[in-house]
Amino acid sequence: MERLRSSPLHANISTALDKQLESIHVVQARRKDEIVNASSRQRHGPPRCQDERVVLALAAALRALCLATRKVRTMLWCAFQMTLPK
C-alpha cells in the first residue's frame, strides 16, 4: 500500500501489525505450555491446579490476539481506503 500511495503509512499501522505478531507468538508459547502440561499430566496421574492456570493463560493470550487482530483489520482497512484513487 505504501508503494501505491508513494508515501509511508501512519506509524500506528506498523505498531498494530507488530502487536499482532507479538500476540501470535504469545499464543504459540501458551499453546506449547498447554501441550507439555497435558503430556506430563498423562504420565503423573490426576490433573493439578496448575493445569487451570495454563488454560487461563492461553485464554488470555487468545483474547489479546483477538483484540490485536481487530485493530489490525481496522487499520489496514483505513490504509486501503486512503490508497484508493479519488
Side-chain angles (χ1 to χ4, degrees):
M1 283 188 253
E2 289 176 335
R3 289 185 203 149
L4 293 172
R5 288 186 64 204
S6 302
S7 65
L9 295 172
H10 197 274
N12 287 347
I13 295 171
S14 302
T15 305
L17 287 168
D18 291 340
K19 285 183 181 181
Q20 186 195 27
L21 183 61
E22 182 182 327
S23 296
I24 290 169
H25 291 304
V26 170
V27 168
Q28 288 174 336
R30 297 296 178 255
R31 181 67 178 129
K32 286 178 186 175
D33 292 344
E34 183 190 27
I35 290 169
V36 167
N37 194 12
S39 66
S40 67
R41 182 179 61 212
Q42 288 177 349
R43 292 185 209 139
H44 294 97
R48 297 184 181 139
C49 182
Q50 188 174 2
D51 294 343
E52 198 171 295
R53 277 188 252 145
V54 171
V55 172
L56 289 175
L58 177 61
L62 284 171
R63 183 176 188 272
L65 177 61
C66 180
L67 293 173
T69 302
R70 283 185 197 165
K71 287 181 182 179
V72 165
R73 280 192 344 226
T74 302
M75 295 272 187
L76 289 175
W77 182 83
C78 291
F80 175 69
Q81 293 299 315
M82 292 170 47
T83 304
L84 292 174
K86 295 180 180 180

